[in-house]
Amino acid sequence: MLNEVARVTPTGRKTLSTARKSFMAGFASRVGEKLREANKAATSSAAHVEGRSTDLVLRDRKAAVDDYFDRMTPNTGNIKARKVGDTAAYYAGREAGDRADLGGTRVGSGGQRALNA
């Protein structure tokens, strides 16, 4: 992301700062989507390993992670969506997020792993 955001140019009368913030928002949005998709796929494939259901383990682990997140970030529920200042930079950031290498099956030795597992 840092390499690409350095090459962002503002459109119209937008400032460079606005363009870069919009790019990063688009990038973060798309990477977040990809991570949620990967986590959902990994969780679903791990739900039934060799005939054993791991649903209870995953559910308990998710509850523990959610509890930890709520304790560490108590005010995140109050965050409001912001308007994007430079739409072209936002979509350029989303395209960069599409190209981002998130590790995929290279993470760990057993293929994909759920992020909350």
Side-chain angles (χ1 to χ4, degrees), residues 17-18 21-22 25-26 29 78-87 90:
S17 175
T18 297
K21 287 177 185 177
S22 297
S29 171
N78 301 328
I79 295 174
K80 295 181 181 177
R82 296 182 185 187
K83 291 194 315 185
V84 173
D86 190 331
T87 307
Y90 175 83

Side-chain angles (χ1 to χ4, degrees), residues 55-99:
D55 290 339
L56 291 176
V57 174
L58 291 173
R59 198 173 319 138
D60 289 345
R61 179 69 177 154
K62 181 180 182 330
V65 169
D66 289 345
D67 180 57
Y68 177 78
F69 180 80
D70 291 342
R71 282 185 287 117
M72 298 306 290
T73 57
N75 297 321
T76 56
N78 301 328
I79 295 174
K80 295 181 181 177
R82 296 182 185 187
K83 291 194 315 185
V84 173
D86 190 331
T87 307
Y90 175 83
Y91 285 108
R94 285 191 57 86
E95 289 174 11
D98 277 335
R99 295 186 302 272

Side-chain angles (χ1 to χ4, degrees), residues 3 14 30 36 50 53 55 71 75 79 83 102 114:
N3 288 332
K14 308 293 186 208
R30 183 59 189 126
R36 283 187 294 278
E50 298 178 16
S53 175
D55 290 339
R71 282 185 287 117
N75 297 321
I79 295 174
K83 291 194 315 185
L102 304 181

